Amino acid sequence: MTWINAIQTKQLESPPSIDERVSIAKVLVNKATINPQNISVVLSTGIDFFIQPSDSVAIASGLAADHALCATINNSCASMSAAIELAMYRISGQLDDIAIVTSSSIFSDIYRTGKPVDCANGVGAAIISNKKEGFKIEKIAHRKNASFFGLKTIVPMDDNPNKLKFNENKTDCLWNTYRQEAIDFPVEAMKATLSEHGWSLSEVDHWIFHSSELTKLWISSLGLNIKKIHPNMGALTSLAQLDKLMISGNLMPKNKIAVLELALGMSVSIILLEHEGEQ
C-alpha cells in the first residue's frame, strides 16, 4: 500500500513564483527529515501556462533530489489525483523511495472576481511513500465523459486572452453554463467507485469536492447533510482541503475520506483514503 504521509499548503495573495513553489516543498521535506537522495520522483501539477524549464525540475534542484524523475502533470483540476497515481507506480515496492507531488494555482485578479465560487492562489506539496503514516490510498479512479458539459470549443475572451469562454452562441463564461449531466455524471461516478470498493455513502466520514459552482448540487444529489465552502485553487484544491482537514482536529483514526476532482468537460477523478491509526 501507499500513503500520503504529509501535506503542506499555503494560500497566497498573488500568483506564486517558482521560488515559492520550491520553498513549500523544502519546508515539507525538512519537516519530515527526508534524505533528498531518497526522492525518486518529483511531480508538479497545475492549470497555469506551461513554463520553461519545468517547475518540477526547478523544485527537484532546489531539494537537491539529484536522482529524481521529474514531470509536469496537467489534467486540469484533476491533476492531483493523476500525479498521486503516477507517484504510486514509480515507488511501488521500493520501501525507501519517496515521491514529492507539488501543486500551484494561478488566477489573475480578473479571473478571481465575480464568480459563484471564489478563486485563490497558492502552493502546496505532499509526500507519497510506502511508509505507514498519514492517509492510506485505498483507491484512485478516473471516469471520462468528454461531452457531459454539452459544450464545444473553449476559446479566449476577446478582451482578455487569459480568460476563457465557450465558443457557442452564448457569451457566458464556463462558470454559468452547464447541463444536468454535469451534476449526474460526477455523482454516479462517485457512487459507482464507492460501491466497487465496498464502501457505502454513510461510511464516508469526510468529503472533499473540487470547489466549483456545482459543489452544492453534487452534495444535494448525494443526499449529504454537509456544507462545503472552499476557494477554487485549481489543481491544488483537494490537497489544500486535505491539509485543512489534517490540522482541523476533526480527523480520527480509521476515518474514511472521499475526494472528487473535476477536470472541466473531460473527466472525473476520485480518491478514496483512510486515515492511518488504531481505533
Side-chain angles (χ1 to χ4, degrees):
M1 298 295 294
T2 311
W3 282 261
I4 301 174
N5 298 140
I7 298 171
Q8 188 86 23
T9 63
K10 183 179 182 181
Q11 191 166 320
L12 302 170
E13 287 299 317
S14 57
S17 64
I18 284 290
D19 288 342
E20 286 169 312
R21 301 184 204 196
V22 172
S23 177
I24 198 79
K26 277 186 174 181
V27 168
L28 185 59
V29 166
N30 291 337
K31 186 181 293 186
T33 62
I34 287 173
N35 181 351
Q37 298 304 307
N38 288 339
I39 299 173
S40 63
V41 59
V42 175
L43 300 177
S44 175
T45 70
I47 59 172
D48 46 308
F49 294 110
F50 285 108
I51 59 173
Q52 298 292 337
S54 168
D55 51 354
S56 60
V57 175
I59 291 164
S61 297
L63 295 173
D66 301 330
H67 306 292
L69 167 71
C70 299
T72 299
I73 311 298
N74 193 330
N75 186 34
S76 186
C77 293
S79 298
M80 183 53 61
S81 55
I84 290 173
E85 186 166 23
L86 287 172
M88 290 171 64
Y89 282 113
R90 174 66 177 177
I91 64 174
S92 177
Q94 306 299 318
L95 294 179
D96 294 328
D97 279 7
I98 294 165
I100 305 295
V101 176
T102 70
S103 189
S104 61
S105 62
I106 297 179
F107 291 107
S108 69
D109 288 338
I110 295 175
Y111 198 72
R112 293 168 63 191
T113 57
K115 306 297 182 237
V117 174
D118 291 333
C119 299
N121 292 302
V123 290
I127 295 171
I128 315 293
S129 81
N130 299 303
K131 183 180 180 181
K132 192 176 180 181
E133 180 179 284
F135 295 108
K136 180 169 66 173
I137 302 170
E138 292 277 344
K139 185 180 182 68
I140 297 181
H142 310 282
R143 302 195 179 244
K144 304 290 187 292
N145 186 341
S147 66
F148 77 77
F149 267 75
L151 300 165
K152 300 180 182 179
T153 309
I154 300 177
V155 297
M157 297 283 276
D158 295 335
D159 59 340
N160 182 1
N162 294 323
K163 187 176 179 183
L164 303 177
K165 70 174 181 179
F166 290 107
N167 185 20
E168 55 174 23
N169 54 12
K170 294 183 179 181
T171 58
D172 292 356
C173 197
L174 56 90
W175 309 90
N176 301 319
T177 310
Y178 54 85
R179 64 184 192 185
Q180 185 64 35
E181 197 171 358
I183 304 168
D184 296 341
F185 178 71
V187 166
E188 292 307 313
M190 175 60 81
K191 288 180 178 178
T193 302
L194 289 171
S195 177
E196 289 167 4
H197 195 60
W199 289 8
S200 66
L201 285 169
S202 61
E203 287 182 272
V204 177
D205 301 291
H206 302 281
W207 294 87
I208 291 176
F209 297 94
H210 172 66
S211 300
S212 75
E213 69 275 27
L214 297 170
T215 302
K216 291 181 180 179
L217 300 176
W218 292 332
I219 290 172
S220 176
S221 185
L222 285 165
L224 305 176
N225 184 26
I226 58 174
K227 185 177 181 180
K228 285 287 181 181
I229 300 176
H230 192 278
N232 185 339
M233 303 180 78
L236 180 60
T237 305
S238 57
L239 201 64
Q241 291 188 66
L242 280 172
D243 188 23
K244 186 177 180 181
L245 177 60
M246 289 180 75
I247 63 177
S248 68
N250 297 323
L251 192 61
M252 303 297 292
K254 301 302 181 185
N255 271 182
K256 293 179 171 60
I257 303 104
V259 180
L260 188 154
E261 296 183 326
L262 175 70
L264 186 61
M266 292 181 284
S267 64
V268 169
S269 292
I270 292 164
I271 311 173
L272 302 184
L273 305 167
E274 183 176 277
H275 185 238
E276 187 58 46
E278 299 296 329
Q279 289 183 317

